[in-house]
Amino acid sequence: MLTKRIIPCLDIKNGRTVKGVNFVDLRDAGDPVELAKQYAEMGADELVFLDISATLENRGTTLEMVLHVAEQVNIPFTVGGGISSIEHVDALLQCGADKVSVNSSAVKRPELINELADKFGSQCVVVAIDAKQVDGEWFVHLAGGTIPTEIKLFDWAKEVEARGAGEILFTSMDHDGTKNGFANKALAKLSTELNIPIIASGGAGNVQHFVDTFKEGKSDAALAASVFHFGEIPIPELKKELKEHNIEVRL
């Protein structure tokens, strides 16, 4: 059985970690480098850093922050936000990132996924998909969830896999920050229809939500932000409880 991963997510804006509800009403959650170090020491399996205003501000992710994080942590970390070229990915990997996450740029130019997979390997390429339900159908949204599209979640996920993505980070905008649990039906469908790992994001509020997404949602990893940033769920306790539910985790 493959080990399930616990991944704290740090949304970065103006050099600080922030957290909102349904992608809005952001509040400060601390220094990203300090938080990264703490999470690595607590037993997080990986980290994800998303520069959430990079696409809107039409700029790349901050390389300096990536460098500082790489100096402090010994676990894999993924960086996303405003990434749209091989050169930018090369620079991020040189600074110490292990993987990159692309979202809006991949939707606008899907060939980018092929190019990155060919150049750096599929294991480096995470495609983040932000989606929300409209009349019972899941649709992809861009630019930090601010721009709706007519692209259907499951169609896009299959294309992403075919183009060489190594993982999909699926965030349900309807669940984000609500602490009501993950979108397990959609996650289970993604996990069943695709052959690459699916990271669940959006909705973690308690330990049971993590248990449910691994069992019902068939998720390979679970990502969360505020419950970790504000100390509501300590990672060592979460992993201990998951183990007690017969979910394989790295202790």
Side-chain angles (χ1 to χ4, degrees):
M1 186 193 289
L2 278 177
T3 305
K4 303 293 188 182
R5 292 169 287 150
I6 299 298
I7 308 176
C9 178
L10 294 90
D11 290 336
I12 314 296
K13 189 171 186 183
N14 302 324
R16 298 288 292 175
T17 309
V18 294
K19 186 63 201 131
V21 177
N22 302 128
F23 284 42
V24 293
D25 298 329
L26 302 176
R27 62 176 169 144
D28 189 272
D31 175 65
V33 180
E34 271 305 304
L35 281 171
K37 189 174 178 223
Q38 286 171 28
Y39 289 140
E41 289 166 355
M42 281 179 191
D45 298 295
E46 296 184 18
L47 296 167
V48 168
F49 295 84
L50 298 176
D51 191 333
I52 58 171
S53 54
T55 297
L56 284 170
E57 293 167 10
N58 198 25
R59 60 173 174 77
T61 306
T62 315
L63 295 174
E64 196 180 347
M65 182 207 72
V66 175
L67 211 51
H68 289 317
V69 169
E71 288 167 354
Q72 296 293 338
V73 306
N74 57 355
I75 55 175
F77 71 97
T78 301
V79 179
I83 295 169
S84 58
S85 70
I86 281 178
E87 292 73 25
H88 192 193
V89 172
D90 199 31
L92 289 166
L93 297 177
Q94 296 280 348
C95 285
D98 297 279
K99 308 178 202 177
V100 293
S101 167
V102 290
N103 188 336
S104 301
S105 57
V107 175
K108 289 171 186 166
R109 198 173 71 81
E111 301 79 24
L112 177 66
I113 302 167
N114 303 71
E115 292 165 9
L116 296 180
D118 289 347
K119 173 82 175 166
F120 304 106
S122 288
Q123 81 287 344
C124 260
V125 185
V126 180
V127 173
I129 305 177
D130 300 331
K132 83 195 284 188
Q133 277 189 301
V134 182
D135 299 327
E137 184 91 64
W138 287 93
F139 288 96
V140 174
H141 284 57
L142 308 183
T146 59
I147 301 171
T149 74
E150 292 182 3
I151 301 165
K152 293 180 178 177
L153 165 64
F154 301 103
D155 294 345
W156 176 232
K158 286 173 189 167
E159 181 176 344
V160 155
E161 178 181 41
R163 286 183 178 276
E167 287 182 281
I168 285 175
L169 167 55
F170 165 57
T171 301
S172 162
M173 293 173 62
D174 301 319
H175 294 70
D176 176 68
T178 63
K179 300 186 181 175
N180 291 327
F182 295 94
N184 290 323
K185 278 189 184 164
L187 285 158
K189 188 174 178 187
L190 286 168
S191 294
T192 304
E193 294 185 1
L194 277 70
N195 296 308
I196 55 175
I198 307 295
I199 304 167
S201 166
N206 58 46
V207 172
Q208 190 60 44
H209 293 153
F210 287 88
V211 173
D212 292 343
T213 202
F214 289 133
K215 290 197 166 179
E216 294 166 22
K218 303 184 184 349
S219 304
D220 298 279
L223 176 144
S226 57
V227 291
F228 296 144
H229 301 338
F230 303 118
E232 293 160 43
I233 303 178
I235 291 171
E237 286 176 31
L238 169 61
K239 288 193 159 188
K240 198 165 149 242
E241 291 235 24
L242 290 171
K243 202 85 168 164
E244 284 168 10
H245 282 87
N246 298 313
I247 293 165
E248 200 56 47
V249 288
R250 179 183 67 88
L251 293 175

